[in-house]
Amino acid sequence: MPVVAGMAYGPVIRPGRLPVLDDADALPEVDESERPAEAARFTAAAAAVAERLRERAQHATGAASEVLAATAGLAQDRAWLGAAEKRIAAGAPAVRATVAAVEQFVDLFTQIGGLMAERVTDLRDIRDRLVAELSGLPEPGVPQPAQPSILCAENLAPADTAGLDPALIVGLATTLGGPTGHTAIIARQLGIPCVVAVGGLDDVAAGAMALVDGTLGTVTVSPDEASATAAVATARRDAELLAGWSGPGATADGHAVPVLVNVHDGAAARAARRTPAEGIGLFRTELCMVNRDREPSVTEQTAIYAEVLRVFEGLKVVIRTLDAGSDKPLTFVRHPDEANPALGVRGFRIGDGNPGLLERQLEAVAAAGADTATSPWVMAPMIATADEAKTFAALARSRGLTPGVMIEVPAAALLAGKVLEHVDFLSIGTNDLAQYTMAADRMSAELATLTDPWQPAVLALVAITARAGAHAGKPVGVCGEAAADPLLACVLVGLGVTSLSVAAAAVPAVGAKLSSVTLRQCRDAADATLVTASAAAARAAARHVLGWE
């Protein structure tokens, strides 16, 4: 599956793993008198691993910072740490206890499935780092190549992907993963050509020369060197032309489509302000709080939001209320123990079990707007019914805020007209909309073709939502990863979407591609996709109509 457009050519490198894991079961028991010291050694090693991940999160931005912070939190999770400590108390050495405890939770998460299964790669990455720390070995991960290289792997841990240097890792290909997984999201942020769910990739040896085409979704092994080099040079020239786009967002015939940006804190906002983005279409507020043990006060939240609002003063800023739960648990939020968290208490639903949480956040947003003399919009995630939209709208309007909701649940898309009776705008989150529409875990490589946002069923729901917005005279944007695909962005505009919000790195490419086509061409491409029966056919139909074959 193509994830990030562009071409890259170079030698293949592969991440290394820890051979010591194979010998963990053979390690001798620890004498009873030495077990407290072994437990202390384990605790210190886990803390060291978590601290290094937190430090890297603080120096990263955007999605890279998000996934590193989440992995650091998992490294300190009491559930699996407690399981390891119990084994150490019974005489197991720390390395064996770590391996066994992690596998226990890998089995559990795999059985639960859904978004919990996403954490399996994270857990195994933490296991490898912790075993290395306990064994006095260098931290595992992606080797630093001496020349620009193509990184091929079965899958990449978030911490590995977040630390990539795009000057040395010029292309990415994985056997597993999907279009909305950690690897895809960070590759998009870094601008590294990327293809995921590649069949046969495991047979490609390190050192082989490979050409990655992130536009078509192919990996060519041992291509003709001259042809590959020429293809990369052409792609680089095209990318440089796209990078020169300076906005504003519009089709070639002048139909305005604001290109906005997704951010998660003040640092990300400042970086995004250097792009031609016309505002913020998604401010992920929960990511400011992922490492906090207590809920930030209204005053603290006000400062966080005001920092972002000041950066984009005078421009549109859409703030999403806490999208906590499922794969993004917050320590200070009471999350119920659920068999299927992806379909459980998350997003707007957490308000019922946490009285006042949403109200305090809205108060802080309103205060930040007053402090900066701006008028932020606010939207609630995981809205399923018109009644939920009505409840949220009343809370927002009572504080002088412009209310909207995210369309991630098919029920909300089907009744978008009813939802719009209560709110002033909609924003489509294509990542979750694809997952829930297709009943497929968005992180599953086996199901990656189902969670592709090009699925005609997903596009049909986008069309329904956009038509409802046009009928009500209210804007409907897209803030999911689909908007960062320049080809799909043109189709979304053709379906009636009024704005696109993307990662900062994707702003120029999306804006430039959009400026090269007319609204009529976008509509023709959209119509062509809606009569197809597969994601691949929809993508091919759009390419044909727009002449991008």
Side-chain angles (χ1 to χ4, degrees):
M1 294 185 63
V3 170
V4 182
M7 302 191 80
Y9 173 65
V12 169
I13 63 168
R14 288 186 171 275
R17 284 298 164 199
L18 287 175
V20 72
L21 296 182
D22 298 333
D23 303 324
D25 288 340
L27 294 172
E29 293 284 308
V30 176
D31 186 85
E32 188 169 358
S33 64
E34 298 176 354
R35 291 174 190 175
E38 188 73 352
R41 195 168 75 90
F42 169 79
T43 301
V49 168
E51 182 59 28
R52 279 197 294 270
L53 290 169
R54 276 193 291 268
E55 287 177 2
R56 290 172 61 185
Q58 290 170 1
H59 290 91
T61 61
S65 176
E66 169 193 344
V67 298
L68 284 167
T71 306
L74 187 61
Q76 294 279 267
D77 182 81
R78 285 308 311 163
W80 84 265
L81 288 177
E85 289 164 354
K86 184 177 179 181
R87 287 174 167 81
I88 294 171
V95 168
R96 192 207 306 166
T98 298
V99 173
V102 166
E103 284 309 303
Q104 174 187 336
F105 279 83
V106 163
D107 291 343
L108 176 63
F109 287 0
T110 302
Q111 289 171 7
I112 292 174
L115 291 175
M116 291 304 292
E118 296 180 16
R119 310 315 300 272
V120 167
T121 300
D122 305 33
L123 269 174
R124 286 178 171 156
D125 177 54
I126 290 167
R127 173 201 64 194
D128 291 350
R129 294 175 189 277
L130 189 48
V131 168
E133 179 73 17
L134 289 166
S135 306
L137 299 173
E139 202 168 29
V142 178
Q144 191 82 336
Q147 60 181 310
S149 301
I150 306 297
L151 175 59
C152 295
E154 181 182 52
N155 205 358
L156 287 171
D160 287 338
T161 317
L164 296 180
D165 179 352
L168 291 174
I169 303 300
V170 295
L172 274 175
T174 63
T175 306
L176 304 179
T180 60
H182 289 139
T183 297
I185 292 171
I186 296 175
R188 210 170 273 123
Q189 178 185 323
L190 296 174
I192 300 174
C194 179
V195 183
V196 299
V198 182
L201 188 68
D202 291 344
D203 297 329
V204 180
M209 299 300 290
L211 175 68
V212 171
D213 187 333
T215 303
L216 295 180
T218 61
V219 177
T220 305
V221 183
S222 301
D224 175 72
E225 183 175 357
S227 299
T229 302
V232 171
T234 300
R236 185 173 293 123
R237 285 193 297 271
D238 290 344
E240 289 171 354
L241 290 174
L242 296 179
W245 180 79
S246 59
T251 57
D253 53 340
H255 175 71
V257 184
V259 180
L260 311 172
V261 69
N262 300 338
V263 305
H264 72 282
D265 61 13
R270 286 187 289 276
R273 194 68 183 92
R274 294 192 287 270
T275 74
E278 298 163 69
I280 295 174
L282 172 61
F283 176 7
R284 301 181 175 99
T285 57
E286 68 278 355
L287 302 184
C288 304
M289 308 177 191
V290 70
N291 284 325
R292 292 177 177 260
D293 294 326
R294 61 172 182 81
E295 177 190 346
S297 67
V298 171
T299 300
E300 290 174 312
Q301 290 189 58
T302 298
I304 292 170
Y305 308 147
E307 181 182 5
V308 172
L309 292 173
R310 287 192 184 94
V311 176
F312 279 81
E313 184 177 357
L315 299 175
K316 177 180 178 180
V317 175
V318 182
I319 299 177
R320 182 175 69 187
T321 57
L322 290 176
D323 189 17
S326 188
D327 62 327
K328 290 179 285 189
L330 296 178
T331 303
F332 58 83
V333 172
R334 288 193 294 275
H335 297 290
D337 186 14
E338 299 174 300
N340 192 344
L343 297 178
V345 181
R346 57 173 295 203
F348 179 71
R349 302 169 183 176
I350 66 173
D352 290 340
N354 296 269
L357 182 66
L358 176 59
E359 289 82 354
R360 289 187 291 275
Q361 183 174 26
L362 292 174
E363 288 170 15
V365 172
D371 287 352
T372 58
T374 59
S375 302
W377 295 14
V378 290
M379 63 181 179
M382 284 299 292
I383 292 292
T385 69
D387 281 344
E388 289 177 342
K390 181 179 180 181
T391 298
F392 176 75
L395 291 171
R397 286 201 175 95
S398 69
R399 292 161 175 82
L401 299 169
T402 300
V405 300
M406 291 194 69
I407 300 297
E408 302 162 288
V409 180
L414 292 170
L415 296 181
K418 296 295 184 182
V419 172
L420 281 165
E421 291 176 6
H422 306 292
V423 297
D424 294 345
F425 70 96
L426 301 177
S427 185
I428 302 172
T430 50
N431 302 355
D432 274 328
L433 183 62
Q435 174 172 243
Y436 294 134
T437 300
M438 305 305 295
D441 176 6
R442 70 189 195 190
M443 297 301 292
S444 169
E446 290 79 6
L447 304 178
T449 54
L450 291 178
T451 54
D452 190 335
W454 281 94
Q455 281 289 347
V458 177
L459 297 178
L461 290 175
V462 172
I464 290 171
T465 305
R467 282 197 298 270
H471 181 75
K474 296 179 179 180
V476 175
V478 170
C479 64
E481 294 297 323
D485 177 344
L487 178 63
L488 185 48
C490 295
V491 170
L492 294 173
V493 170
L495 293 172
V497 167
T498 58
S499 67
L500 302 163
S501 192
V502 303
V507 169
V510 170
K513 284 294 188 183
L514 191 60
S515 70
S516 70
V517 295
T518 65
L519 180 59
R520 180 71 267 162
Q521 287 178 294
C522 290
R523 287 174 173 166
D524 289 345
D527 290 343
T529 65
L530 292 176
V531 297
T532 61
S534 72
R539 187 183 283 108
R543 283 189 174 282
H544 177 71
V545 171
L546 295 177
W548 293 357
E549 295 178 290

